[in-house]
Amino acid sequence: MSTIHLRTSIPGPRSQALMRRRNDAVPKAAYHATPVFVAKAEGAVVEDVDGNRLIDFAGGIGCLNTGHRAPSVVDAIRKQLDHFLHTSFNVLPYESYVRLAERLNELTPGNFPKKTIFVNTGAEAVENAIKIARFHTRRPAIISFEDAFHGRTYMTMAVTSKTHPYKAGFEPFPGDVYRIPYAYCFRCSYSLEYPRCEVHCARHIEDTFKRVVAAESVAAVIVEPILGEGGFVTPPDGFYSTLSEICRKYGILLIADEVQTGFCRAGATFACVRFGLEPDLITMAKSLSGGLPLAAVTGRAEIMDGPASGQLGGTFGGNPAACEAALAVLDVIDKENLNARANHLGGIFRKRAAEWQRRWELVGDVRGMGAMQALELVRSRVTREPADTETKEVAQFCYEHGLVTITAGSYGNVIRLLMPIVITDAQMDEALDVLEAALAAVSEKKAAAVQMA
Ligand SMILES: Cc1ncc(COP(=O)(O)O)c(C=O)c1O
């Protein structure tokens, strides 16, 4: 506990001055979770412009599983800078794009021929996966899940669930999108309990085909193997086997959105593997390229080859520096055995979190897989009323004491762990000490307020 102290300098004078300029120059819609401006970063630690050191449990929203400035990733980018920076793969192709596609085709789950196309962002990958699925099936409808997040472009807003801040005010969205409940056992939409429910949420999709949209109109079901922005909700055994069996039965494609779960976060290079899921199409981005913008769609070769030349792509898709960075990321995953490391970190967290759950009513649910772990905070274990204000207070306490965290969940009441998987055990312990102190402070404040009332 000795390392926990209030950094009176967070946000410091330089961050405050920059924030004033930011407010004048940048619209408020470009959100920032902390009012701290960064100066440099290494591994799992960032230093702000006032010289404060913070442990990073956000990793640029899950983009830095291999850490800030992983040395071999930086080297790969540097080398590429000396050759060429951009030609557009659509004009003058280059080998790194092809090599990375070959490696992702090999690495992704499913023992069948695959192909990969590169784009720039997670949302763009989702857009393309939906284009490809509609083209292949010649069907219009897409089914997505409650509490899902797939991006901020129009089609990805349509398949996203959370209204504020992502969708409200931007309506109307593209049509033929239907939403069904996810396997959110802590808040089951059908008030059932696992395993007695026999994964009713997955089986219920056949009812949707009768009452909402005909199966033969559905091109694809898009699903995050574990919800990201939706609060790290982790489906139980049987959910994906049932879902994929139903999709197969009706000729519906399964798109796994691995943008947040991919590249070891859940203790496997792709979270699908943890569930024995072999999707037809996989979208990926974030930690794929160690901090540069790069995204991909990998899928069954015959599906990916549907659209004709020029129907997919874009000017910057598969930027050469980003491709080289991604190839280096894949090597780091292998060399440093990041999947085992993710599971180790998850174990450290779960041990501490089980104790927090015993101590504080506030900690309603502890869940996750590998290093994709979260706490869902509630005002009461009985009502499970989401503790959204308290979650913000926990996050604020954390950054004021040297730990950057980000929240999640449709009710804004989840603290999620997205630290670099290369974080050391000592840094992990230090960060969890801060999180523990935050939970203690917020719980004590709540208890004091109850006594006063
Ligand atoms: C599962 C998932 N899909 C898609 C996206 C959108 O990615 P991007 O912000 O790169 O467009 C995100 C971003 O958080 C995500 O978590």
Side-chain angles (χ1 to χ4, degrees):
M1 286 279 173
S2 56
T3 53
I4 301 165
H5 55 271
L6 180 67
R7 319 279 166 93
T8 43
S9 51
I10 296 182
R14 290 201 173 109
S15 272
Q16 288 181 38
L18 283 167
M19 190 55 74
R20 284 191 289 276
R21 282 174 53 199
R22 176 247 180 266
N23 289 340
D24 285 343
V26 181
K28 58 181 175 299
Y31 179 73
H32 54 265
T34 63
V36 174
F37 279 76
V38 64
K40 52 185 173 182
E42 198 87 53
V45 175
V46 295
E47 194 181 306
D48 76 6
V49 287
D50 293 287
N52 293 300
R53 169 187 173 276
L54 298 105
I55 296 183
D56 186 2
F57 258 27
I61 323 183
C63 296
L64 296 162
N65 292 355
T66 49
H68 288 278
R69 305 180 66 249
S72 58
V73 175
V74 172
D75 270 358
I77 297 168
R78 268 207 196 104
K79 278 193 194 120
Q80 183 57 40
L81 298 185
D82 288 336
H83 290 85
F84 57 95
L85 254 187
H86 175 72
T87 58
S88 188
F89 191 75
N90 296 353
V91 179
L92 285 168
Y94 34 91
E95 199 239 351
S96 56
Y97 187 117
V98 179
R99 195 154 27 106
L100 185 58
E102 289 167 348
R103 286 191 68 180
L104 291 176
N105 295 341
E106 271 295 308
L107 265 178
T108 43
N111 190 17
F112 39 77
K114 296 186 211 112
K115 290 199 173 179
T116 295
I117 185 161
F118 294 106
V119 288
N120 303 289
T121 66
E124 211 187 333
V126 171
E127 291 274 354
N128 278 281
I130 292 174
K131 279 172 71 174
I132 295 164
R134 282 179 164 165
F135 198 94
H136 175 78
T137 58
R138 305 283 165 174
R139 298 174 179 181
I142 303 293
I143 292 180
S144 69
F145 286 88
E146 287 174 9
D147 305 301
F149 181 84
H150 297 290
R152 288 181 171 85
T153 58
Y154 261 97
M155 190 63 202
T156 59
M157 278 193 287
V159 285
T160 286
S161 177
K162 191 173 176 178
T163 55
H164 293 91
Y166 303 127
K167 298 171 73 167
F170 297 118
E171 303 90 344
F173 304 115
D176 256 322
V177 170
Y178 304 88
R179 210 176 321 283
I180 57 175
Y182 194 75
Y184 192 170
C185 297
F186 189 66
R187 297 186 186 279
C188 177
S189 294
Y190 303 103
S191 302
L192 295 172
E193 250 184 58
Y194 183 81
R196 264 184 301 150
C197 64
E198 297 178 341
V199 286
H200 176 82
C201 50
R203 286 184 294 109
H204 192 71
I205 193 168
E206 295 210 70
D207 194 67
T208 304
F209 296 152
K210 292 196 180 81
R211 297 163 66 199
V212 183
V213 57
E216 64 270 25
S217 300
V218 180
V221 171
I222 181 162
V223 64
E224 294 162 86
I226 297 171
L227 292 183
E229 302 296 305
F232 284 22
V233 177
T234 311
D237 280 349
F239 179 71
Y240 283 112
S241 51
T242 308
L243 186 67
S244 48
E245 198 181 302
I246 295 172
C247 286
R248 216 172 307 121
K249 179 170 157 193
Y250 293 99
I252 295 168
L253 302 185
L254 221 162
I255 305 171
D257 183 351
E258 289 255 19
V259 166
Q260 194 154 156
T261 50
F263 304 101
C264 312
R265 176 54 50 189
T269 308
F270 296 97
C272 286
V273 172
R274 301 291 311 253
F275 300 100
L277 176 63
E278 292 186 354
D280 300 292
L281 298 167
I282 300 182
T283 54
M284 55 196 107
K286 291 197 187 270
S287 276
L288 164 61
S289 46
L292 290 188
L294 182 68
V297 185
T298 299
R300 288 182 186 274
E302 73 276 15
I303 299 174
M304 295 294 292
D305 265 334
S309 176
Q311 286 196 291
L312 303 174
T315 308
F316 274 116
N319 169 272
C323 285
E324 290 292 352
L327 286 162
V329 162
L330 297 182
D331 289 342
V332 172
I333 287 174
D334 262 358
K335 279 197 197 117
E336 301 192 18
N337 202 353
L338 285 197
N339 288 319
R341 182 85 200 134
N343 288 320
H344 169 76
L345 294 171
I348 294 178
F349 171 76
R350 285 301 269 263
K351 209 162 147 206
R352 301 273 303 254
E355 176 58 25
W356 301 341
Q357 204 171 17
R358 269 192 292 278
R359 272 166 72 184
W360 298 303
E361 173 100 358
L362 185 64
V363 181
D365 195 25
V366 178
R367 58 177 175 248
M369 260 186 184
M372 189 159 189
Q373 298 286 339
L375 303 173
E376 177 156 352
L377 304 187
V378 294
R379 297 213 170 106
S380 143
R381 292 269 175 86
V382 179
T383 63
R384 298 189 175 177
E385 183 190 349
D388 53 345
T389 313
E390 294 85 341
T391 306
K392 281 194 195 88
E393 287 169 3
V394 168
Q396 181 171 345
F397 181 104
C398 285
Y399 76 71
E400 287 175 350
H401 292 76
L403 173 66
V404 179
T405 59
I406 45 173
T407 60
S410 290
Y411 305 101
N413 65 326
V414 176
I415 298 280
R416 56 178 153 163
L417 270 59
L418 282 172
M419 64 283 176
I421 297 170
V422 295
I423 191 170
T424 65
D425 282 10
Q427 289 164 342
M428 183 75 180
D429 288 341
E430 186 184 337
L432 294 179
D433 286 347
V434 175
L435 184 52
E436 180 173 302
L439 293 166
V442 173
S443 295
E444 277 158 26
K445 191 177 141 196
K446 264 184 64 164
V450 170
Q451 272 193 344
M452 292 280 284

